[in-house]
Amino acid sequence: MNQKSGAASIKPARPVYILNSASVVGTKEGQGPLGLLFDKVGEDDMFGCATWEEAESTLQKEAVGMALDKAGLKQEDISYIFAGDLLGQSMATSFGISVYQIPLFGLYGACSTCGESLVLGAMSIAGGFADRVVCVTSSHFASAEKEFRFPLEYGSQRPLSASWTVTGSGAFVLGSDPGESSIQGKNLDGRQGARKNSMRAVKGARARITGMTVGKIVDYGLKDSMNMGACMAPAAASTLEQHFVDFNSQPEDYDKIFTGDLGKVGQKILVDLLQQKGYDISEQHMDCGIEIFDGESQDTHAGGSGCGCSAVTLSGYILKQLEERNWKKVLFMPTGALLSKTSFNEGKSVPGIAHALVIETLG
Amino acid sequence: MNQKSGAASIKPARPVYILNSASVVGTKEGQGPLGLLFDKVGEDDMFGCATWEEAESTLQKEAVGMALDKAGLKQEDISYIFAGDLLGQSMATSFGISVYQIPLFGLYGACSTCGESLVLGAMSIAGGFADRVVCVTSSHFASAEKEFRFPLEYGSQRPLSASWTVTGSGAFVLGSDPGESSIQGKNLDGRQGARKNSMRAVKGARARITGMTVGKIVDYGLKDSMNMGACMAPAAASTLEQHFVDFNSQPEDYDKIFTGDLGKVGQKILVDLLQQKGYDISEQHMDCGIEIFDGESQDTHAGGSGCGCSAVTLSGYILKQLEERNWKKVLFMPTGALLSKTSFNEGKSVPGIAHALVIETLG
């Protein structure tokens, strides 16, 4: 029984493994502090394409292909793909992953989409609906600026509270089995011959997903799309508090608590908001957006953002730390700012949302 | 065990009930052939709001509120909401349902999103992750024309292959239990006192979801956004063929096979494509987009479309036919055209996707 551990949380009864993952990033991300950890760094940010949107599609296609290769799997081994991006009508996804012909659940949770895709992917595994799924998200600096802000050609100045959308895509292969040779000969869906490829050996898993907390929309009424860290911090605080209550846990139960892209402004607000609720996360908190760039030398202001930011940081950095046993248990919580060009121009606020996953070493 | 019934299908082991639903539509839909079946018809298409986007948000808010009322439930009874719309970054959803403070999975599958939300909602119930969830989608004629085509003020002429986006929202409450007094006193999540409201009686369910087939992206290379029926028909054919194979079923096993919004052009292509694959669905096939408007007197050309179209037709018309036992088993398959303003202007094709659900009477 996949017991709901509380009002908004899931503790899967069947284990969910992160079999493998891959990250593809742009040049700026490759030059940043985590640059050497990514699987592929593009030579330029067009990735051989004619438009920024096609370049972002290529990021998703390559990340999924590499994650499958690293897991020793083929597209026929995958039951479902949970995917999304930041563009209107999720265009990077529609044109990026159609080549794989895997049944698709298209998702939109702004920069929290990486968390949303992993939660739904893990649910499909833990519920017995699939044995292997792929979760993928992407963002691209240039396509995002065009979609949400100003044409890059304007050369608009950016305030210090603004974040820099990460050019990158992270893909994850989740499975019900830790891999290696243990699934040889197993008939995974109970029907003779229904999935010929289910007997292909996969390599050993990288980590486990042991808990999930699904976020609500939280709107403090902020309207500044150049300060998305502040817009998202209340949602991060809400999901984190819910998580601590649902799992009866404390900040010190985790080696690290990662948010997706709050940046330096949002981080301070999150720590303050949780302090008011009786939780001190200042020791454990890290933010993917702060880690991925060197703000001073790379001129990225508050930090990186985008639903590629948390995805490539999880794939390249966090999972590696777990594999090397530097950390044993991490809370990973991508954060999203729910705005569009239209909502911004119509004077609406920027609500936030955040979804959290507990990711642990294999045992 | 929620056995995967084939390569892309799910046959839930735990029953999934549609406890209740609600539909809110605009004036034109209220004047159409199904007009009397909808729960609420707006006096005008602004629904008391200042913008079309706010009007669409109001549709979702009202549909969810009415569906909860009709089910005898409150927002605290709902574990998750699966929601989406057609606007960039799903803005109708973000501003429409935030008032309910229910953990949210944001979805994007164009006009197939109603199907996607019901599949994921049903998975969360069948997997034991939730006892009650809400699925909601919406579209609005004016916000969609602005988002995808031309400003309404241009008065652009529309070809006869074009469809008319439905102004409407349909919301569905799914549950693990058929309702009435049977859940009194049951501790639904296994934890003492964790959900105080879980003992509130719900009224009897309207129907059951007994099977699901998840679609892939299908792209025949068509580029005409004024003929979305043709763009989506290959995806509908692909999902339908997969469904017949996975469930070892034939068209005559269903009283009706409903597509979402293929319209008159797409319907003909779908029937032809399936004929080539050895399935004759001409007897069973109906299309929500064809049913919702009187094309001649209402000047809607090929038919209705939008992710509100299939949602309000399921809520107002199809579920009623099942309740009255005029039909016993229906295949419901919303269809989506994966385009954006940007992808269209960059000369890309319009790929399609479709997700199918088997919906049956209570027994």
Side-chain angles (χ1 to χ4, degrees), chain A residues 1-10 14 51 53-54 79-80 82 86-91 93-95 97-98 101-109 116 119-120 123-124 126-130 146-148 189-191 195 214-217 219 246 338-343 346 348-349 351 353 355, chain B residues 1-10 14 51 53-54 79-80 82 86-91 93-95 97-98 101-109 116 119-120 123-124 126-130 146-148 189-191 195 214-217 219 246 338-343 346 348-349 351 353 355:
Chain A
M1 182 65 187
N2 289 295
Q3 203 175 12
K4 278 189 55 123
S5 137
S9 293
I10 289 162
R14 252 182 122 191
T51 68
E53 290 77 16
E54 279 181 23
S79 296
Y80 303 111
F82 297 82
L86 299 178
L87 303 181
Q89 290 78 36
S90 299
M91 279 304 109
T93 296
S94 297
F95 291 98
I97 58 164
S98 60
Q101 287 294 293
I102 301 169
L104 165 70
F105 291 106
L107 310 177
Y108 187 80
E116 184 186 357
V119 170
L120 286 170
M123 272 175 59
S124 74
F129 303 106
K146 171 178 162 184
E147 178 76 21
F148 290 98
D189 69 350
R191 283 177 23 138
R195 284 169 61 82
V214 185
K216 304 167 185 181
I217 297 175
D219 189 352
D246 287 353
L338 299 168
L339 83 159
S340 78
K341 199 159 35 186
T342 308
S343 72
E346 288 178 353
K348 307 287 280 186
S349 58
I353 191 164
H355 305 295
Chain B
M1 182 65 187
N2 288 294
Q3 202 175 14
K4 278 189 56 125
S5 134
S9 294
I10 289 162
R14 254 181 121 192
T51 69
E53 291 76 16
E54 278 181 24
S79 296
Y80 304 110
F82 297 82
L86 299 178
L87 303 180
Q89 290 77 37
S90 297
M91 278 305 109
T93 296
S94 297
F95 291 98
I97 58 165
S98 61
Q101 287 294 292
I102 301 169
L104 164 71
F105 291 106
L107 310 178
Y108 187 78
E116 184 186 357
V119 170
L120 286 169
M123 273 175 58
S124 75
F129 303 106
K146 170 178 163 185
E147 178 75 22
F148 290 99
D189 69 351
R191 282 177 25 138
R195 283 168 60 83
V214 185
K216 306 168 184 180
I217 298 175
D219 188 353
D246 288 353
L338 299 168
L339 83 161
S340 77
K341 199 160 33 189
T342 308
S343 73
E346 290 179 351
K348 307 287 279 185
S349 58
I353 191 164
H355 305 296

Side-chain angles (χ1 to χ4, degrees), chain B residues 228-310:
Chain B
M228 294 203 299
C231 297
M232 296 185 290
S238 160
T239 300
L240 211 39
E241 186 189 16
Q242 182 78 57
H243 181 82
F244 291 142
V245 171
D246 288 353
F247 286 84
N248 194 22
S249 64
Q250 292 289 329
E252 46 273 26
D253 294 332
Y254 306 91
D255 294 307
K256 294 291 169 192
I257 295 171
F258 266 92
T259 45
D261 52 1
L262 292 186
K264 288 175 190 158
V265 179
Q267 179 182 47
K268 186 160 169 22
I269 298 171
L270 173 64
V271 170
D272 286 353
L273 284 173
L274 281 169
Q275 203 95 51
Q276 290 170 18
K277 293 168 193 280
Y279 296 102
D280 180 1
I281 63 161
S282 55
E283 279 291 306
Q284 291 81 22
H285 185 253
M286 291 180 78
D287 182 71
C288 299
I290 294 176
E291 298 304 314
I292 198 166
F293 292 125
D294 178 341
E296 284 186 31
S297 73
Q298 293 193 288
D299 197 28
T300 46
H301 300 348
S305 62
C307 56
C309 175
S310 52

Side-chain angles (χ1 to χ4, degrees), chain A residues 252-312:
Chain A
E252 46 273 26
D253 294 331
Y254 306 91
D255 293 306
K256 294 291 168 191
I257 295 171
F258 265 92
T259 45
D261 52 0
L262 292 186
K264 287 174 190 160
V265 179
Q267 179 180 49
K268 185 160 170 20
I269 298 170
L270 173 64
V271 170
D272 286 353
L273 283 173
L274 281 169
Q275 204 95 50
Q276 289 169 18
K277 294 167 192 280
Y279 297 101
D280 180 2
I281 63 160
S282 56
E283 280 290 307
Q284 291 79 23
H285 185 252
M286 293 179 77
D287 181 71
C288 300
I290 295 176
E291 298 303 314
I292 199 166
F293 292 126
D294 178 340
E296 285 185 31
S297 73
Q298 293 193 288
D299 196 29
T300 47
H301 298 348
S305 63
C307 56
C309 175
S310 53
V312 301

Side-chain angles (χ1 to χ4, degrees), chain B residues 130-144:
Chain B
D131 290 300
R132 302 215 196 83
V133 302
V134 165
C135 305
V136 62
T137 50
S138 68
S139 51
H140 189 293
F141 172 74
S143 65

Side-chain angles (χ1 to χ4, degrees), chain A residues 157-232:
Chain A
Q157 205 171 4
R158 301 149 45 83
L160 289 173
S161 61
S163 54
W164 186 282
T165 305
V166 163
T167 297
S169 174
F172 303 86
V173 185
L174 307 187
S176 57
D177 195 287
E180 290 164 334
S181 63
S182 56
I183 62 154
Q184 293 281 356
K186 190 172 163 194
N187 195 332
L188 288 170
D189 69 350
R191 283 177 23 138
Q192 205 60 38
R195 284 169 61 82
K196 287 184 195 140
N197 290 292
S198 63
M199 292 185 295
R200 183 175 300 116
V202 294
K203 293 166 194 167
R206 300 185 67 185
R208 291 180 304 148
I209 295 172
T210 58
M212 304 173 257
T213 301
V214 185
K216 304 167 185 181
I217 297 175
V218 178
D219 189 352
Y220 272 26
L222 281 77
K223 295 187 174 186
D224 185 357
S225 76
M226 292 293 190
N227 187 357
M228 295 203 299
C231 297
M232 296 185 290

